[in-house]
Amino acid sequence: MLSYLEALNIQGVTPEKLAGSFDQSELNHLDLGQCQLNPAGVRRLLKSHGVDYSPRIMAYTSLKGGTGKTTSSVTTAVRAVDYGFRPCILDLDSQGSASLALGVLPNEDDAVFVDVWQKPSEHIPQALRAHSTGVSILPSSLDNSLLDVQLVNPNAQKNAVRDVCSAIFENGFDLIVIDCPPSLGTAVISTICAANMVVIPTNSDQFSLKAVELTIQEIKAICETFGLPIPLVKVLYTKFDRRIRLAHDTLDLLSKRYPEQLIVPPIRTSSEYAKQLQVQKTVFSGRRKSVARDDYDSFIRALFQLRISDSPETSSPVEDY
């Protein structure tokens, strides 16, 4: 949950405005310094400050694996709950990494995307799995590898993910986070056709940087082929190690090559991600401060246009790079 102090770190939120948005039943601790805020109250507060909660589809994709797609997908969805969103993860990677990260692996008889895309309104309510974080997920399995066979028809490619997302929205969600496989298969093509925003995580190595370039080219080509507007594209630099010169050179290169798309600051390298995922949690599962938590919170605030206060007392904890 979002803390009282974290809420005050949003520009325009004062103690008086914050207190007026909650009743006592929505405050989970009497000590305001440690108080955890109910997501429903946070939503009311931020909505009054102009935060947009209209339904949106956010996809994490890259043609290279190991860049941080799953960590970013799951972390975004979990933190979005704290900011009042109602998120659902759509796991399209047949390896089921996002499902594994949340400990929500489907049983043999459970439906995955390949089972629901043709009649999503009929199957989605039963197929979604709720998680203790407040996130729901349509889990994945190896069965989704059959999508390249099932979605050969261009009309199916254009509409499959879009139709499933529409059915998810009909069930009360307002944010769908899609974790894509690291390839240009039909699942990714269909995702690009549906997404409002595409985030491309990258690292310092040349393969990752080339994958950003190729992924952006493919997004444009897919949208041109289907006559669709190009979604908002963002680049996220993950695994940034400030001790290494290459990391700073890469950040400089990305800043020059993608000045409008690059989200800053980057996500610093940390062992906290692996530690938390190993126990099927995220860096936001507890209240412990960490570099990992600070960086992803800054990233997520940028995604949802939650402005950070300029006040020294409530400035972002992320240090200069």
Side-chain angles (χ1 to χ4, degrees), residues 210-321:
K210 185 64 176 178
V212 175
E213 178 185 345
L214 294 175
T215 302
I216 291 176
Q217 290 176 3
E218 292 301 331
I219 289 171
K220 293 178 179 178
I222 290 166
C223 293
E224 182 178 345
T225 297
F226 288 97
L228 297 169
I230 297 173
L232 183 64
V233 175
K234 294 294 182 180
V235 176
L236 176 65
Y237 183 16
T238 64
K239 304 178 184 178
F240 175 86
D241 190 340
R242 62 184 304 169
R243 300 166 299 180
I244 299 175
R245 177 59 185 269
L246 176 61
H248 295 274
D249 291 342
T250 301
L251 182 59
D252 185 56
L253 182 150
L254 290 170
S255 299
K256 292 176 180 176
R257 187 176 294 178
Y258 307 107
E260 300 299 323
Q261 291 99 337
L262 182 65
I263 294 179
V264 291
I267 305 297
R268 287 170 285 185
T269 185
S270 172
S271 61
E272 194 69 21
Y273 307 114
K275 290 178 182 177
Q276 294 297 328
L277 289 176
Q278 190 173 14
V279 293
Q280 297 172 341
K281 294 183 178 180
T282 76
V283 293
F284 293 107
S285 297
R287 292 187 291 181
R288 179 179 166 213
K289 296 284 289 181
S290 68
V291 162
R293 183 186 179 100
D294 289 345
D295 287 359
Y296 265 108
D297 190 51
S298 293
F299 162 64
I300 290 160
R301 286 179 184 237
L303 281 185
F304 298 128
Q305 298 182 331
L306 297 164
R307 294 174 297 167
I308 303 298
S309 172
D310 295 326
S311 166
E313 292 80 10
T314 57
S315 59
S316 171
V318 179
E319 41 187 284
D320 292 335
Y321 289 84

Side-chain angles (χ1 to χ4, degrees), residues 168-186:
I168 292 173
F169 288 139
E170 290 170 2
N171 282 268
F173 299 92
D174 53 29
L175 171 65
I176 298 174
V177 179
I178 304 178
D179 189 28
C180 293
S183 62
L184 188 63
T186 56

